[in-house]
Amino acid sequence: MSHINNEYVSSFINFLSEDMDYLELREYAEANNVPIMKTETKEFLKTLVSISKPKSILEIGTAIGYSSLVFSKYSDADITTIELSSEMANIAKDNFKKYDKNINLINDDAEKALTTLNQGFDFVFIDANKSNYKFYFDYVDKYLLNKGGIIVADNILFRGEVCNDDLIEKRKITIVKRLRNFLADITKREDYKTSIVPIGDGLSISYKEI
């Protein structure tokens, strides 16, 4: 059986796919310790949205707006994004304005903000409070996701801690348990087809069939 070294693969993908999409935002994020999607994750998702051609995208967790800008560049979708931090939201707004993108940003707690939305979405990207992933998924599924829609959750392997008890930091035990429960739940649902993709920090991709 062949074995693939994940660190080598990530480096090779990054070498082949030099990130020229909003490069200065990635450099800002790295310099200021702002978590944004990894380059290999971005490469995967830009292809996914290009193929699925969503008309509407919901993002939970904006940060500085990098992923929203990527989605906007590789799709023609109307985009709504939610960010709790006022500081991050203001930076994201400036970035949207700089790149002349009409993206609807809601600066509020995601659990509250979701209840104010009254439209359906074809594609949902979850990259916020890891402990609340199950709530976000369930709420979106019940009230906001169109039939045939896709829900993607980022960082679901959480630096490998979800996969290996030996890697778990004591202060992260609750997050890891909730992520494990989240993955167990969405992979068993009969109304979705879900795949776990081990790139970046792990992605779950769930397609709503019913």
Side-chain angles (χ1 to χ4, degrees):
M1 181 180 295
S2 63
H3 174 72
I4 298 176
N5 184 298
N6 288 333
E7 183 177 350
Y8 170 77
V9 170
S10 295
S11 299
F12 187 64
I13 291 174
N14 290 339
F15 170 75
L16 289 177
S17 306
E18 184 178 358
D19 192 357
M20 301 307 294
D21 293 316
Y22 310 109
L23 179 59
E24 63 181 308
L25 270 67
R26 181 166 292 282
E27 292 174 343
Y28 175 91
E30 291 175 354
N32 292 276
N33 295 316
V34 177
I36 63 172
M37 67 170 70
K38 295 182 181 297
T39 301
E40 59 266 34
T41 302
K42 185 268 295 185
E43 289 296 306
F44 181 87
L45 290 180
K46 80 177 190 183
T47 303
L48 183 60
V49 296
S50 297
I51 293 171
S52 59
K53 294 179 169 50
K55 294 180 179 179
S56 54
I57 293 176
L58 171 64
E59 176 185 49
I60 304 174
T62 314
I64 60 174
Y66 175 82
S67 47
S68 289
L69 287 168
V70 170
F71 293 143
S72 179
K73 181 175 181 177
Y74 292 100
S75 77
D76 295 321
D78 293 325
I79 299 173
T80 295
T81 183
I82 302 170
E83 174 57 45
L84 174 62
S85 166
S86 295
E87 178 183 2
M88 290 292 103
N90 287 332
I91 294 173
K93 288 177 183 177
D94 288 341
N95 287 329
F96 297 159
K97 183 177 181 180
K98 178 178 180 179
Y99 290 101
D100 194 27
K101 296 295 186 179
N102 184 23
I103 296 171
N104 177 34
L105 192 153
I106 303 172
N107 180 199
D108 204 345
D109 175 76
E111 292 191 29
K112 179 181 177 182
L114 288 173
T115 65
T116 68
L117 299 175
N118 56 9
Q119 71 172 92
F121 293 92
D122 300 317
F123 187 99
V124 178
F125 181 59
I126 303 175
D127 188 15
N129 186 334
K130 306 297 177 284
S131 293
N132 288 345
Y133 271 24
K134 188 177 187 312
F135 173 84
Y136 301 146
F137 189 104
D138 289 347
Y139 190 92
V140 165
D141 166 61
K142 188 173 182 179
Y143 298 108
L144 299 174
L145 190 68
N146 294 330
K147 182 179 179 181
I150 296 170
I151 302 177
V152 176
D154 198 8
N155 308 120
I156 50 89
L157 299 181
F158 201 61
R159 303 188 298 269
E161 295 182 36
V162 169
C163 311
N164 189 336
D165 288 341
D166 294 335
L167 299 177
I168 301 176
E169 300 177 53
K170 289 184 179 180
R171 61 192 182 92
K172 302 294 186 181
I173 289 176
T174 298
I175 293 177
V176 170
K177 286 182 177 179
R178 290 183 179 180
L179 282 172
R180 286 176 175 175
N181 290 337
F182 167 70
L183 291 175
D185 179 70
I186 63 174
T187 53
K188 292 178 181 177
R189 293 186 61 141
E190 295 184 355
D191 51 341
Y192 281 85
K193 292 296 185 185
T194 293
S195 293
I196 307 301
V197 183
I199 63 172
D201 200 21
L203 290 173
S204 63
I205 303 173
S206 303
Y207 168 70
K208 187 172 185 177
E209 293 188 301
I210 300 175

